[in-house]
Amino acid sequence: MAARRQWDNIWSLLFSLLCLCEWSVAQISYSIFEEVDKGAAVGNLAKDLNLSVQQLQSAGLHITYGYKKPYFDINLESGVLYVSERIDREELCPNTVKCSLNIEAILSNPRSLHRIEVVINDINDNAPSFQEDISTIDMYESSYVGERHPLPIAHDPDVGANSVKTYKLNANDYFSLDIQSTGDQSVSAELVLQKALDREKQAVIELTLTAIDGGKSPKTGTLQIQVNVLDVNDNSPVFSKSLYKVQVIENANIGTPLLTLTASDLDDGINGQVVYTFTERGRLNPDDKFSLNNNTGEITVRGNIDYEENQAFEIRVQARDRGTPPRSAHGKVLVEVIDVNDNAPEISVSSIMSSVKEDAEIGTAVAMVTITDQDGGKNGLTNCKITGSVPFKLKSNYKNYYSLLVDGLLDRETVSRYDIYIVATDEGTPSLSSTTVITIHVSDVNDNPPKFPNSPITLYVKENSPIGTTIHKLTTTDLDLNENAKSMYHLISSSPKTTQMASMVTSFNYEELKDFQFKVQATDSGVPPLSSNVTVNILILDENDNNPTILAPYSQHGSVNSESIPYSAEAGYFVAKIRAVDADSGYNALLSYHLSEPKGNNLFRIGTSTGEIRTKRRMSDNDLKTHPLVVLVSDNGEPSLSATVSIDVVVVESTAEIQTQFRHVPVKEDSFSDLNLYLLIAIVSVSVIFLLSLITLIAVRCHRTDGTFSRYSAPMITTHPDGSWSYSKATQQYDVCFSSDTLKSDVVVFPGPFPPVDAELISINGGDTFTRTQTLPNKEKVGHLYLSCKTSSCNHKIIASAISCVVGVDIHTHSAPLVEHQLGTSTPSLIPCPQDFQTV
């Protein structure tokens, strides 16, 4: 038993694997006798399948069946199909002429399915038997010679030649047998009176009826018959027909009349009154299905008539008179049942796969479908099809056996489950059908790569961020499932710069690196793995981590610088200009200058944005001869960083005593060589190219923003207490410092983010303090243009002309009231660009 269970487990596993393959079906038929010994050979299955003994193991041959007992098994060493359980035909196929067992032989290599029919032949293992041990027959002494009396029918479970074939009566003086055969399965006998009876000689006649089957070793069964000889009524009823035939539709309503029996009796009175009754014959009791009116002889339907249970009924009827003793006649009624289509087809599904891969090939077998219909004839013919649009089809294998196959491309990401509706329809009228649903789950394969939600990805990182700071968490989506959807990420080196960034162990420095990019590859865990790439752009954000640096000729680091001014200097006299730069950018590099003097001394002021130190008033006798000044240069970062420089301003009596580093530069009076000429030409060329580029750039920017000027306000020129001019528009602004003194003149353009015209701007008040009244947004690019007169040779007309020349603005048109207020004169006329300004 343990070996049997182990074999069953192996079969179940192999059968499940074979469900993945296509099936081909063939038909093999064997026949054996019932009750053969266990181990008896049924047939050489390997030979019939064209397999050698050596191929049996590799072919994976095994059988399956749908019965409770494993009646057959296969010898894998010889390929012989043999009997493994006792086979009793009468137990398997009662009341049927043909008995067969259907099994299936399955090969895994090559993949095929073979339907095997084993016909069970009957042997004569059952003797005939009667339902009663003794049968009593009453006969009148006036019975005529030749009178017949039907005898009970013997039953033999065997069929064919082994069933009851004849009857034999023991030797006697009065009776003989008349054996009647209506077919192979129906043999009856009637008792025929051969000699007139004489009750006074013998009132009871004992007879023995022997039933004999047709086996090679015939078996017999006996019945004791007791004939009672009666004296009276000498005429028996006679039926109008010896055999009545009638048809009835199955499922006929109860009470439906079939026919009326007619029997006549020549006797008069009570001896001529006929009573009709059924006589039980064999195992069929007519009273279960039909009703007989004893007086009229009408037969009606009494029970459910089912064609699938009985296709015909043979009813024995009797007509008996009321005489004493009564005399009777016997007849037969053959009721043929006409089939109606009252059974819908039945659908059974086997060998179904739990799931099918989405890359399964067309033609892959998914399940086996069998259609059965209990109706007969045309009502039992069926058709099978799939409803709806699904990538599957039915393939007919043999008769009502079908294979469910893949018939299209599967995509789990689109449809992960299919409910396949199979409809079976018979050919009856009206047609009946049945539907079953087969659920097929589509399993995932790795056919979708990971996808990034955005490409490229732009990230902003502050410089000096600690190592290990999370910048961004990359995410991907993968339409696959489980391992096929799990992604791993790694960097792809696309350039030496990217490789350098990938290996950095320090934080970013905006002053060294402002941006870089690299690629990230996401790879899923499927087999084979799929991947996708995304470009990541890293933009470094500046932080205020650099102090301002004082430029030459002044220096910081605690040293003291010296400048001289004449005692006769007027208010606004130019003392010195502090220049500083900041390695940061934006607001972090926007510098402001502040001046610190000794208490009680209020002689000097400094431009907060220009760094120019000037006198506030004339000198007095009470002023010191040496004024120590400390200039604080601060940026606008958060927190603000600063640098300081110390300058001692010495008051001298005359301008002749003023010495600067520029005036003491020695002049070499060498002859003007060819080399100097070439150098001068080169310098002039570079200067001209630079100036043209600068003018072109300013003109382009003015042209681009020209359409937006009208939306806000007219250009404005604003003056500052230090003598500089500011030209501004709503979307751009320039600060330009200009002086005819070429030793101290410069042009500086400060592009930076400033608010729109309706917001608060950086203002310079009369006290030269730098105040920022609002956090400056970075939505629009703005600049300032400052022009300052350092000496008396610079006038306001030159400044106005310079502004018009540089930025292309007609001051006469847009700024007349402001310029007139500033100059205290009428609106100036425009003049050509000053030569010294053009060459700055």
Side-chain angles (χ1 to χ4, degrees):
M1 291 303 293
R4 178 73 260 174
R5 287 193 297 270
Q6 183 179 6
W7 171 250
D8 290 341
N9 294 335
I10 295 175
W11 145 241
S12 299
L13 177 61
L14 292 176
F15 188 76
S16 299
L17 293 175
L18 287 173
C19 291
L20 299 173
C21 309
E22 295 187 9
W23 298 90
S24 63
V25 179
Q27 180 78 17
I28 301 174
S29 180
Y30 299 109
S31 64
I32 61 169
F33 287 101
E34 64 172 329
E35 302 293 348
V36 296
D37 295 334
K38 293 183 180 180
V42 178
N44 193 327
L45 188 57
K47 179 179 178 182
D48 295 334
L49 296 177
N50 296 323
L51 295 174
S52 64
V53 176
Q54 292 77 10
Q55 292 176 317
L56 287 179
Q57 297 295 333
S58 61
L61 177 62
H62 62 280
I63 62 174
T64 180
Y65 34 77
Y67 306 98
K68 295 181 180 180
K69 296 181 180 180
Y71 291 105
F72 304 100
D73 207 339
I74 186 170
N75 188 330
L76 295 178
E77 296 181 358
S78 62
V80 173
L81 183 68
Y82 64 91
V83 177
S84 60
E85 288 288 341
R86 174 181 174 270
I87 300 176
D88 186 355
R89 183 191 177 283
E90 287 71 32
E91 178 183 349
L92 292 174
C93 309
N95 301 323
T96 59
V97 176
K98 182 180 178 181
C99 181
S100 62
L101 298 179
N102 295 321
I103 61 176
E104 294 175 343
I106 300 176
L107 291 174
S108 60
N109 185 22
R111 303 184 297 271
S112 61
L113 169 67
H114 301 270
R115 184 174 181 271
I116 302 173
E117 180 186 54
V118 180
V119 179
I120 310 301
N121 296 323
D122 185 45
I123 63 173
N124 193 22
D125 58 341
N126 292 279
S129 61
F130 294 89
Q131 288 186 334
E132 301 173 346
D133 296 331
I134 300 176
S135 179
T136 301
I137 300 176
D138 295 331
M139 296 188 68
Y140 297 101
E141 63 177 346
S142 60
S143 297
Y144 60 91
V145 177
E147 184 176 327
R148 296 170 177 269
H149 288 270
L151 298 177
I153 295 177
H155 174 70
D156 193 336
D158 297 325
V159 296
N162 297 322
S163 62
V164 176
K165 293 300 181 182
T166 187
Y167 293 89
K168 184 174 68 173
L169 191 65
N170 66 317
N172 66 87
D173 298 331
Y174 295 98
F175 298 97
S176 65
L177 282 180
D178 182 11
I179 301 174
Q180 300 174 357
S181 177
T182 58
D184 292 339
Q185 299 298 319
S186 179
V187 178
S188 61
E190 292 183 343
L191 191 64
V192 182
L193 182 63
Q194 298 293 328
K195 182 181 177 180
L197 298 175
D198 188 356
R199 189 192 62 79
E200 289 71 25
K201 289 183 179 180
Q202 188 175 0
V204 177
I205 301 173
E206 300 286 344
L207 300 175
T208 301
L209 178 65
T210 303
I212 305 172
D213 64 24
K216 292 183 179 180
S217 298
K219 296 183 181 294
T220 61
T222 59
L223 173 67
Q224 297 299 319
I225 302 175
Q226 180 178 314
V227 180
N228 297 320
V229 181
L230 304 178
D231 185 49
V232 276
N233 201 0
D234 58 353
N235 287 293
S236 299
V238 178
F239 282 105
S240 61
K241 295 180 180 179
S242 61
L243 176 65
Y244 293 89
K245 293 183 178 180
V246 67
Q247 291 181 336
V248 61
I249 297 176
E250 70 168 326
N251 302 324
N253 296 329
I254 295 176
T256 300
L258 297 182
L259 79 162
T260 300
L261 301 175
T262 303
S264 61
D265 193 322
L266 297 178
D267 295 326
D268 292 330
I270 193 172
N271 293 327
Q273 296 178 2
V274 179
V275 176
Y276 301 93
T277 58
F278 290 130
T279 58
E280 184 176 352
R281 309 295 290 174
R283 295 185 177 182
L284 175 63
N285 186 3
D287 292 326
D288 294 338
K289 301 294 183 181
F290 305 99
S291 177
L292 175 61
N293 189 311
N294 300 121
N295 295 322
T296 63
E298 183 183 34
I299 300 177
T300 58
V301 175
R302 183 178 184 178
N304 182 41
I305 306 299
D306 191 352
Y307 175 86
E308 287 71 42
E309 292 181 1
N310 297 99
Q311 289 80 38
F313 296 91
E314 183 179 331
I315 306 174
R316 300 301 180 98
V317 294
Q318 173 182 271
R320 174 177 290 189
D321 60 25
R322 297 180 183 274
T324 303
R327 303 194 67 166
S328 63
H330 297 84
K332 294 181 181 179
V333 179
L334 182 61
V335 181
E336 180 183 359
V337 180
I338 299 176
D339 182 44
V340 296
N341 192 25
D342 60 341
N343 290 280
E346 297 179 0
I347 304 173
S348 61
V349 181
S350 61
S351 308
I352 186 171
M353 296 173 59
S354 60
S355 63
V356 58
K357 290 186 176 181
E358 59 178 318
D359 62 349
E361 297 181 355
I362 295 177
T364 301
V366 177
M368 299 294 296
V369 180
T370 304
I371 311 298
T372 57
D373 194 318
Q374 295 182 3
D375 292 322
K378 188 176 181 179
N379 297 330
L381 299 179
T382 60
N383 297 308
C384 186
K385 66 179 181 178
I386 295 176
T387 62
S389 178
V390 293
F392 298 91
K393 70 175 182 178
L394 286 174
K395 177 184 177 183
S396 177
N397 295 329
Y398 173 77
K399 292 185 178 179
N400 293 333
Y401 292 86
Y402 299 86
S403 294
L404 180 62
L405 307 178
V406 176
D407 192 40
L409 298 179
L410 304 178
D411 186 4
R412 187 204 62 79
E413 290 72 35
T414 303
V415 181
S416 61
R417 164 181 165 172
Y418 289 94
D419 291 328
I420 304 173
Y421 289 83
I422 298 179
V423 178
T425 307
D426 60 27
E427 297 184 6
T429 304
S431 177
L432 298 180
S433 63
S434 60
T435 303
T436 188
V437 180
I438 300 177
T439 300
I440 301 296
H441 295 275
V442 181
S443 61
D444 184 51
V445 299
N446 192 29
D447 57 350
N448 290 281
K451 291 184 178 180
F452 291 93
N454 298 308
S455 181
I457 298 174
T458 301
L459 305 177
Y460 296 89
V461 184
K462 290 184 179 181
E463 67 170 329
N464 304 322
S465 296
I467 297 175
T469 300
T470 300
I471 299 175
H472 181 74
K473 183 177 181 180
L474 292 174
T475 59
T476 56
T477 57
D478 196 317
L479 298 178
D480 295 321
L481 293 177
N482 302 327
E483 292 298 324
N484 295 333
K486 294 181 179 178
S487 298
M488 300 180 65
Y489 305 88
H490 63 276
L491 295 176
I492 299 178
S493 298
S494 58
S495 64
K497 184 178 180 181
T498 304
T499 304
Q500 178 184 3
M501 290 301 102
S503 61
M504 288 182 64
V505 295
T506 61
S507 58
F508 298 114
N509 189 347
Y510 176 83
E511 287 70 38
E512 296 178 359
L513 179 67
K514 292 180 174 54
D515 63 82
F516 66 94
Q517 69 173 206
F518 57 88
K519 289 186 177 180
V520 176
Q521 184 178 77
T523 306
D524 60 28
S525 301
V527 178
L530 301 178
S531 61
S532 60
N533 300 337
V534 67
T535 299
V536 180
N537 296 316
I538 301 296
L539 302 180
I540 310 301
L541 300 179
D542 182 50
E543 284 195 336
N544 193 26
D545 58 347
N546 291 280
N547 293 75
T549 302
I550 307 298
L551 300 179
Y554 307 104
S555 62
Q556 48 195 76
H557 307 300
S559 60
V560 178
N561 303 277
S562 179
E563 288 288 347
S564 299
I565 62 173
Y567 178 80
S568 60
E570 298 290 338
Y573 182 84
F574 179 80
V575 178
K577 182 178 179 64
I578 307 301
R579 294 181 177 86
V581 295
D582 195 314
D584 294 319
S585 64
Y587 282 124
N588 296 330
L590 183 59
L591 304 179
S592 61
Y593 301 85
H594 305 275
L595 186 62
S596 176
E597 296 182 73
K599 291 183 179 181
N601 190 4
N602 191 18
L603 181 60
F604 301 96
R605 60 182 174 86
I606 188 170
T608 55
S609 59
T610 62
E612 292 183 353
I613 301 175
R614 295 179 180 274
T615 59
K616 286 185 178 182
R617 57 181 174 79
R618 290 179 58 86
M619 295 291 177
S620 66
D621 295 336
N622 296 329
D623 292 328
L624 299 175
K625 297 302 181 180
T626 300
H627 300 270
L629 303 179
V630 178
V631 178
L632 176 67
V633 183
S634 302
D635 59 27
N636 281 272
E638 293 292 342
S640 177
L641 300 179
S642 62
T644 59
V645 61
S646 298
I647 300 177
D648 287 345
V649 180
V650 180
V651 180
V652 297
E653 293 298 330
S654 64
T655 57
E657 299 179 18
I658 299 175
Q659 297 180 358
T660 64
Q661 55 180 336
F662 302 104
R663 293 189 176 90
H664 292 285
V665 175
V667 179
K668 189 174 181 180
E669 297 180 355
D670 294 341
S671 60
F672 196 76
S673 63
D674 293 339
L675 180 60
N676 293 334
L677 177 62
Y678 297 149
L679 181 58
L680 178 61
I681 294 174
I683 293 174
V684 171
S685 300
V686 172
S687 299
V688 171
I689 293 175
F690 173 74
L691 182 60
L692 292 176
S693 300
L694 181 61
I695 294 174
T696 303
L697 177 61
I698 295 174
V700 169
R701 296 193 60 174
C702 292
H703 175 72
R704 287 181 179 176
T705 57
D706 182 63
T708 61
F709 290 162
S710 60
R711 293 188 301 168
Y712 299 105
S713 62
M716 296 182 63
I717 298 178
T718 308
T719 61
H720 295 279
D722 58 0
S724 62
W725 285 51
S726 173
Y727 165 79
S728 65
K729 288 186 179 181
T731 57
Q732 74 182 89
Q733 197 166 18
Y734 297 89
D735 292 343
V736 178
C737 298
F738 171 79
S739 176
S740 60
D741 186 354
T742 56
L743 295 178
K744 295 186 177 180
S745 298
D746 59 1
V747 178
V748 182
V749 178
F750 298 93
F754 280 87
V757 69
D758 56 349
E760 296 184 35
L761 302 175
I762 296 175
S763 62
I764 301 176
N765 55 31
D768 276 342
T769 58
F770 184 89
T771 303
R772 183 173 66 180
T773 59
Q774 181 178 338
T775 302
L776 300 179
N778 55 4
K779 295 182 179 179
E780 300 184 5
K781 298 296 183 179
V782 188
H784 288 277
L785 179 64
Y786 286 99
L787 280 77
S788 300
C789 287
K790 306 296 185 178
T791 63
S792 58
S793 62
C794 175
N795 58 52
H796 294 292
K797 287 186 178 183
I798 295 177
I799 295 174
S801 178
I803 295 176
S804 298
C805 178
V806 173
V807 301
V809 177
D810 187 355
I811 297 178
H812 178 74
T813 302
H814 299 288
S815 307
L818 179 61
V819 173
E820 182 177 1
H821 176 73
Q822 171 67 31
L823 300 178
T825 60
S826 60
T827 303
S829 59
L830 297 178
I831 60 175
C833 293
Q835 183 66 29
D836 56 352
F837 179 80
Q838 292 177 350
T839 58
V840 172

